Amino acid sequence: MEEEEEAIGLLDKVLEDEDVFLLEECELGTPTSPGSGSPFLVAMKVEAGKGLEMRKLVLSGFLASEEIYINQLEALLLPMKPLKATATTSQPVLTIQQIETIFYKIQDIYEIHKEFYDNLCPKVQQWDSQVTMGHLFQKLASQLGVYKAFVDNYKVALETAEKCSQSNNQFQKISEELKVKGPKDSKDSHTSVTMEALLYKPIDRVTRSTLVLHDLLKHTPVDHPDYPLLQDALRISQNFLSSINEDIDPRRTAVTTPKGETRQLVKDGFLVEVSEGSRKLRHVFLFTDVLLCAKLKKTSAGKHQQYDCKWYIPLADLVFPSPEESEASPQVHPFPDHELEDMKMKISALKNEIQKEKANKGQSRAIERLKKKMFENEFLLLLNSPTIPFRIHNRNGKSYLFLLSSDYERSEWREAIQKLQKKDLQAFVLSSVELQVLTGSCFKLRTVHNIPVTSNKDDDESPGLYGFLHVIVHSAKGFKQSANLYCTLEVDSFGYFVSKAKTRVFRDTTEPKWDEEFEIELEGSQSLRILCYEKCYDKTKVNKDNNEIVDKIMGKGQIQLDPQTVETKNWHTDVIEMNGIKVEFSMKFTSRDMSLKRTPSKKQTGVFGVKISVVTKRERSKVPYIVRQCVEEVEKRGIEEVGIYRISGVATDIQALKAVFDANNKDILLMLSDMDINAIAGTLKLYFRELPEPLLTDRLYPAFMEGIALSDPAAKENCMMHLLRSLPDPNLITFLFLLEHLKRVAEKEPINKMSLHNLATVFGPTLLRPSEVESKAHLTSAADIWSHDVMAQVQVLLYYLQHPPISFAELKRNTLYFSTDV
C-alpha cells in the first residue's frame, strides 16, 4: 500500500520539487528511473522549452500511477468470475444481483483505462517535443459517463458488500484480502488491500485525472496542437467533478483515534461562527469521530501556517437541538443591507480597476494593492452576509451557533455528521498532545484551501454568468409517501449562495407536477442548486434562532452552469438526482446585454410595452389600472410574504396575467384573487421593465445620475425634487403612488425581510434603466452587474424611498429655488 500511496502522491509533489519527484519514481522503479540512463532525462537536457520538460515529468508520473490503478481494478475483478460461477450452483456465495451491484461498471472502467494506458505508454516512452496525446485525454474525459453510473451506485455497492461480508464468511475472507499486483520492476510482487478500499479507487481517480489535466495545460504552450484538446478535456472533467462532488468522500487519513482506528477527514470548509456576540470566520473540520473548529494562526513571513483549535466535539456527544429544545440565542444584529450593497459596489469597482491595470500592463505592485483591497471587501461581505442559523450542541455542555448563506450548505453539514453518527461511536477526551497532533494535521489534510472569494481565483478561471437564467421546474418522482412538496432554487453570487425562487406547494402527492418557470438574475454565477422540501404546517416547530418554521429537506442537488451548454436560444432539459428523488427541469440563459432592451409593443391597444401617457389617457385614470390592481392585491395578502418582490414569481403565471391585462379581460379581478402573490408582484415589475421608456424617462436620466452624485445635501435635495417636478404628470403620479406602496412594504421588514434598500435594488434599474437607443453609453458590461450605473439607479430610488412623504400638489406648488430646464 505504501508504494501505491507514493505513486498517487506524485502529482501533488511534481510541481513542488522535481528532484523529489524523480527520486520517488526511482523508488517505484518506473520507466523514468534515472539509474537506467533514462531517455527522458537526456531529452530533458536538450529540450529548450521548460514547459515541455515539465509536461514530460507530469505525464511520466501519471503513467506510473495509471499502471497501479489498472492493477487495482484487475484485483477487484479477479474474484468476480468465480463468484458468478458459484451463483448458479446450489451453494452460491453471492446472488447474481449482489455481484452485479458490487462490481457495477468496474469492467467498463478497466477497459477504458487499459486502452488509454496502452495508447499513452508508447508515446511517453518514445518522447519528443512533437508528441501529441491531447486526443487520448479528450477521449478519456468523454467516457466519464461510466464514472457517473459508478458514483450513483457507489453507496449501494459498499452497503451490499458490507451486508454480504457480515452474512457470508467466505465472502468476508475474499473481500478483506484482495491481492494487487505491484508495478513493473517493483520489489513487492503483491500487496493486500480490502475490497472497500479498492471500490473507492475509481472515485479518487477522477479527481487525480482532473489534477493532471490542470498541470498539463499549465505546461503546454498555447500554440501546441494538444492545448485546445486538453482544455476541452479539463472543462468536461471539472463539470463532471462538480456534478458528483457531494458523493465524493475525500477519505483523507489524519491520525489514529484513541481506539487505534484510522481517523479520516470527511469534510471541511469555512463557516461563520457567532462567538461572544460577534461574527468570526472559522475553518471547520469533520473527521470520522470528531468535529473540530479552528482558525489560522497569524504567522511571521516564511513560517509554515498552522491552525489553532477553538473547540472540538466528539461526534458521540454532538446533538442537533430540535426547534422546541433550542434556546433563543443572543441577538446578532444583521448587517444593514445598504452596507452589503455598498461592499458589492466597491468589489465591482475594484474588479474593473484591476482589469484596466492588466489591460494597460500596469505595475504588478499596483495590481496587488487593488487585489488586497478587493479581498478585504469580499472577506467582509462573506463574513456579514450569512443569516441562516446552524446550531450544534455538546451534550456535556456548550452550544455553538454558525450562520450560513444557504439551506443547502446547512443540510450538507447536518447529513455528513448524521451519516457518521450511525456508526458505533464512543465518547472520548483528547489529551493536549493528541489535540495538538490532530490540529497540526489539519493544514496538510484540508481540501478547502482558500476562502471562497473571487480575488482568490486564478485569472484563467471562469468569471461566471451575468444576466438572466430562465428555469422551468417541471416535476419530481421517487417519493415513498404522499407529502406537501415544493422546490427552491439557489445560485452563487460574490462567493456565497442565495435563494432566488420557490415553487408553489403541491399538496398530498408522491409525483408533484409544478411546470413553473422562473427568471433568475445571475451575478457572476457558476452553479444552480435545487432543493426539494416537505412543507411543515406545525407552528410549534419554529427555529428560535430566526423565528421561522423548519421545513424538511427531502433532497438536494447541484449543477454547473456551463456557458457553452446554457448560452443557447433553446431550452436545455435535464434531470437532477437527489437522495433517490429525480427532479426534471429546463433552463436557458439571456445575457445581460440582451435582457436590458426595452422594446415598444407593436400592439398599442394593450398596456405592456405602451407609453404610460397613452394608457392613462385611454383609461381616463391618473395611475394605470394594472399598477393599482397589483399594488392593492400585494397589500391585501402579500405584504408579509418573505422576499416579496425579490422572490421570482412563476413565469407562466406572469405571462397569463400579462395577457389578461393586455386584453382588458373582465375576469382580471377573479384571476388576481386566485393567483400566487409572487406572480402578481412579478407582473408589476414586468410592466415597468417593459415600458418603452423608463418611468423616470430617458430625457432626465443623465440629470438623475448627476443629481444623486452631488455631495451637498441641500443642493441634492433641490436638484432631486426639481427633477421629479420635471416628469410628465402620469409618470410622476404613478411614481409617487408606487413610492408610498414600497414604503408600506418596508414597514413590514421584520416579517417580509424586505428593507427599503432591498426594494430599491429590485426596482431601481427597472424604473430608471434607459431604453435601448438611449442606453448605449450606460449599459453595464456583461461581467459586472454591480456597475456604477446600476448602483446609481438603486441610489436614486433609495433617496426618494428614504425621503419624507412627497405630495404631488405640494411638489407642483413649491418651485424651490430654481426651475432651470434640465
Side-chain angles (χ1 to χ4, degrees):
M1 282 299 288
E2 285 175 16
E3 288 82 5
E4 176 222 333
E5 292 303 327
E6 282 176 356
I8 296 282
L10 284 172
L11 284 177
D12 296 333
K13 293 186 175 79
V14 68
L15 297 178
E16 292 172 20
D17 191 326
E18 292 173 33
D19 298 331
V20 172
F21 177 88
L22 289 167
L23 175 66
E24 294 210 9
E25 280 196 318
C26 179
E27 288 170 358
L28 274 166
T30 66
T32 60
S33 168
S36 61
S38 164
F40 294 133
L41 292 179
V42 176
M44 194 171 94
K45 288 169 188 171
V46 179
E47 195 85 58
K50 189 169 187 291
L52 292 171
E53 294 169 11
M54 286 303 297
R55 192 163 174 258
K56 183 172 47 186
L57 284 172
V58 171
L59 274 172
S60 54
F62 182 63
L63 198 63
S65 65
E66 188 74 2
E67 183 194 344
I68 289 168
Y69 178 50
I70 289 166
N71 290 346
Q72 289 164 346
L73 293 171
E74 272 182 351
L76 200 50
L77 288 168
L78 199 62
M80 191 172 77
K81 281 183 183 175
L83 284 169
K84 275 189 176 177
T86 64
T88 54
T89 65
S90 58
Q91 289 184 310
V93 179
L94 301 180
T95 66
I96 287 288
Q97 191 177 351
Q98 286 169 334
I99 294 165
E100 287 177 351
T101 302
I102 294 169
F103 298 97
Y104 186 65
K105 294 293 178 186
I106 300 293
Q107 183 70 44
D108 294 347
I109 291 171
Y110 170 77
E111 286 168 9
I112 287 166
H113 282 269
K114 187 73 172 71
E115 183 189 358
F116 172 75
Y117 179 84
D118 289 346
N119 288 326
L120 183 63
C121 194
K123 288 180 178 290
V124 175
Q125 286 173 342
Q126 295 155 24
W127 180 264
D128 66 51
S129 60
Q130 301 306 309
V131 164
T132 59
M133 44 66 213
H135 60 288
L136 298 178
F137 280 93
Q138 192 183 38
K139 185 179 178 183
L140 187 66
S142 72
Q143 294 169 313
L144 283 172
V146 176
Y147 275 93
K148 175 75 176 103
F150 175 84
V151 170
D152 288 344
N153 181 69
Y154 172 68
K155 288 176 184 173
V156 184
L158 272 189
E159 286 165 9
T160 307
E162 201 173 318
K163 282 176 189 171
C164 292
S165 289
Q166 288 166 1
S167 60
N168 189 301
N169 288 335
Q170 206 175 345
F171 181 70
Q172 187 180 15
K173 283 179 186 174
I174 294 168
S175 63
E176 279 179 356
E177 284 204 14
L178 290 168
K179 302 290 182 191
V180 178
K181 212 168 35 175
K184 289 169 192 167
D185 307 325
S186 170
K187 292 174 189 173
D188 297 322
S189 57
H190 288 87
T191 50
S192 292
V193 189
T194 66
M195 185 174 284
E196 184 186 353
L198 287 179
L199 280 171
Y200 182 69
K201 296 300 176 186
I203 290 177
D204 190 48
R205 196 66 194 164
V206 182
T207 314
R208 297 279 164 182
S209 301
T210 308
L211 284 174
V212 96
L213 281 167
H214 198 275
D215 290 341
L216 277 174
L217 256 182
K218 202 180 282 184
H219 300 294
T220 300
V222 179
D223 57 354
H224 194 284
D226 272 347
Y227 193 85
L229 301 175
L230 292 171
Q231 214 171 23
D232 189 47
L234 180 61
R235 179 184 61 78
I236 296 167
S237 300
Q238 284 176 331
N239 284 342
F240 175 76
L241 263 186
S242 302
S243 70
I244 64 163
N245 209 29
E246 68 179 66
D247 295 319
I248 291 181
D249 173 3
R251 301 253 169 157
R252 294 187 167 215
T253 303
V255 289
T256 54
T257 65
K259 288 170 67 182
E261 295 168 354
T262 303
R263 176 179 284 136
Q264 297 166 337
L265 178 65
V266 176
K267 181 177 174 62
D268 70 301
F270 290 96
L271 298 181
V272 174
E273 185 190 10
V274 177
S275 175
E276 296 172 357
S278 64
R279 293 166 180 253
K280 310 280 186 187
L281 193 67
R282 306 294 196 209
H283 200 147
V284 180
F285 295 85
L286 175 62
F287 291 96
T288 38
D289 63 339
V290 64
L291 185 77
L292 186 141
C293 179
K295 74 162 194 174
L296 266 177
K297 285 183 184 176
K298 287 182 181 173
T299 53
S300 52
K303 285 198 174 180
H304 281 297
Q305 284 188 302
Q306 287 294 328
Y307 282 99
D308 180 23
C309 175
K310 302 308 293 179
W311 50 265
Y312 74 90
I313 307 177
L315 296 191
D317 292 327
L318 188 152
V319 289
F320 298 107
S322 63
E324 51 269 26
E325 290 170 342
S326 63
E327 298 169 13
S329 59
Q331 190 63 36
V332 181
H333 294 292
F335 214 64
D337 281 326
H338 66 91
E339 291 192 32
L340 291 175
E341 301 304 338
D342 285 346
M343 281 179 208
K344 289 180 182 180
M345 186 173 75
K346 281 180 192 167
I347 290 163
S348 292
L350 287 163
K351 203 184 290 182
N352 276 345
E353 282 186 57
I354 291 166
Q355 294 301 332
K356 281 178 193 169
E357 284 286 338
K358 283 180 180 174
N360 299 331
K361 296 188 176 167
Q363 291 184 351
S364 59
R365 195 178 294 174
I367 292 171
E368 285 308 311
R369 197 163 51 243
L370 288 169
K371 279 188 173 178
K372 188 183 174 187
K373 272 191 197 172
M374 185 166 145
F375 175 82
E376 286 166 1
N377 278 283
E378 286 192 302
F379 179 83
L380 279 172
L381 186 62
L382 202 67
L383 189 66
N384 291 296
S385 55
T387 57
I388 295 173
F390 176 50
R391 183 178 288 280
I392 53 174
H393 181 69
N394 186 334
R395 68 171 88 244
N396 298 321
K398 203 173 170 187
S399 279
Y400 301 94
L401 177 65
F402 293 105
L403 294 175
L404 309 181
S405 67
S406 146
D407 210 6
Y408 189 103
E409 194 181 358
R410 175 168 64 179
S411 174
E412 273 188 325
W413 279 98
R414 188 189 294 269
E415 285 171 15
I417 291 167
Q418 286 173 335
K419 182 182 174 185
L420 293 169
Q421 287 179 325
K422 286 177 183 173
K423 296 175 182 174
D424 181 26
L425 296 171
Q426 293 180 7
F428 58 85
V429 176
L430 293 173
S431 68
S432 57
V433 174
E434 286 170 336
L435 183 59
Q436 195 176 343
V437 171
L438 182 61
T439 310
S441 73
C442 288
F443 190 80
K444 185 181 76 172
L445 298 176
R446 62 187 180 163
T447 61
V448 181
H449 294 263
N450 295 316
I451 297 166
V453 292
T454 52
S455 44
N456 278 336
K457 282 186 178 180
D458 292 337
D459 290 344
D460 57 354
E461 283 188 62
S462 166
L465 293 170
Y466 290 80
F468 290 89
L469 185 70
H470 301 263
V471 182
I472 302 174
V473 183
H474 295 294
S475 59
K477 291 178 181 176
F479 297 98
K480 288 173 183 167
Q481 56 191 46
S482 290
N484 303 315
L485 303 163
Y486 69 93
C487 285
T488 64
L489 306 177
E490 294 180 352
V491 291
D492 56 322
S493 156
F494 290 93
Y496 58 94
F497 278 82
V498 283
S499 184
K500 287 282 192 175
K502 177 181 172 182
T503 68
R504 68 186 185 277
V505 178
F506 214 103
R507 289 176 177 266
D508 196 25
T509 182
T510 55
E511 291 194 4
K513 289 184 173 61
W514 294 286
D515 287 320
E516 295 183 61
E517 184 185 335
F518 301 94
E519 182 183 78
I520 296 170
E521 194 165 10
L522 303 183
E523 307 162 48
S525 308
Q526 293 179 313
S527 303
L528 169 71
R529 288 172 170 177
I530 300 182
L531 295 94
C532 196
Y533 290 86
E534 180 181 357
K535 182 72 182 168
C536 173
Y537 292 102
D538 184 351
K539 291 188 177 176
T540 62
K541 295 189 184 298
V542 171
N543 190 324
K544 292 186 175 66
D545 288 317
N546 63 355
N547 291 318
E548 288 181 12
I549 292 176
V550 182
D551 293 339
K552 181 183 175 185
I553 294 181
M554 304 297 285
K556 64 188 191 312
Q558 176 172 314
I559 57 157
Q560 286 294 103
L561 295 175
D562 176 17
Q564 290 188 349
T565 308
V566 179
E567 286 180 333
T568 60
K569 290 179 182 176
N570 302 321
W571 286 95
H572 170 71
T573 303
D574 208 343
V575 173
I576 198 162
E577 293 193 30
M578 41 172 88
N579 196 25
I581 298 160
K582 293 182 179 180
V583 175
E584 187 184 344
F585 66 98
S586 301
M587 60 182 178
K588 68 176 179 178
F589 173 72
T590 310
S591 69
R592 183 146 181 85
D593 290 352
M594 291 300 293
S595 63
L596 287 176
K597 292 179 181 176
R598 288 184 186 270
T599 311
S601 174
K602 291 174 185 173
K603 188 181 172 186
Q604 290 294 299
T605 54
V607 292
F608 282 83
V610 180
K611 283 189 175 182
I612 200 163
S613 56
V614 173
V615 172
T616 50
K617 189 175 179 182
R618 187 204 310 143
E619 293 178 352
R620 296 180 184 176
S621 61
K622 292 182 177 179
V623 175
Y625 178 70
I626 182 173
V627 176
R628 285 180 283 127
Q629 288 307 317
C630 289
V631 163
E632 186 181 317
E633 203 62 37
V634 168
E635 294 199 358
K636 191 192 297 178
R637 58 189 180 93
I639 205 158
E640 294 187 351
E641 180 80 12
V642 174
I644 189 70
Y645 289 120
R646 181 179 60 79
I647 298 288
S648 301
V650 180
T652 41
D653 289 349
I654 293 169
Q655 290 304 317
L657 281 172
K658 176 183 175 181
V660 170
F661 275 111
D662 266 342
N664 196 19
N665 193 302
K666 62 179 187 301
D667 295 329
I668 287 175
L669 293 178
L670 182 64
M671 197 169 174
L672 280 173
S673 63
D674 287 341
M675 194 62 78
D676 175 65
I677 201 65
N678 287 316
I680 294 168
T683 304
L684 183 63
K685 287 190 294 180
L686 184 69
Y687 169 72
F688 286 117
R689 202 161 86 203
E690 290 197 356
L691 282 174
E693 88 159 348
L695 188 66
L696 299 189
T697 72
D698 286 327
R699 184 176 71 90
L700 295 176
Y701 180 76
F704 276 114
M705 294 297 98
E706 288 168 14
I708 199 65
L710 292 171
S711 303
D712 178 57
K716 184 184 280 191
E717 167 78 5
N718 198 354
C719 179
M720 298 302 275
M721 291 304 117
H722 169 65
L723 287 170
L724 281 191
R725 273 200 315 282
S726 306
L727 286 169
D729 282 1
N731 298 56
L732 176 56
I733 295 168
T734 302
F735 179 67
L736 295 178
F737 178 80
L738 181 66
L739 212 56
E740 291 312 304
H741 164 64
L742 295 178
K743 287 181 182 182
R744 287 191 290 274
V745 171
E747 283 170 9
K748 299 285 184 181
E749 185 194 349
I751 303 167
N752 63 30
K753 314 291 185 200
M754 291 302 288
S755 63
L756 287 174
H757 200 286
N758 273 340
L759 292 163
T761 303
V762 171
F763 275 95
T766 301
L767 300 179
L768 278 130
R769 189 192 72 237
S771 54
E772 188 189 359
V773 178
E774 299 292 329
S775 66
K776 285 179 182 167
H778 304 289
L779 271 176
T780 54
S781 67
D784 193 11
I785 195 168
W786 292 99
S787 68
H788 179 268
D789 270 15
V790 173
M791 289 311 296
Q793 290 159 14
V794 171
Q795 292 301 321
V796 168
L797 181 55
L798 189 60
Y799 180 86
Y800 291 122
L801 283 170
Q802 291 171 339
H803 197 280
I806 305 165
S807 141
F808 174 79
E810 200 171 313
L811 195 63
K812 286 293 187 181
R813 201 166 47 243
N814 183 2
T815 57
L816 296 176
Y817 308 114
F818 68 95
S819 58
T820 313
D821 192 22
V822 285

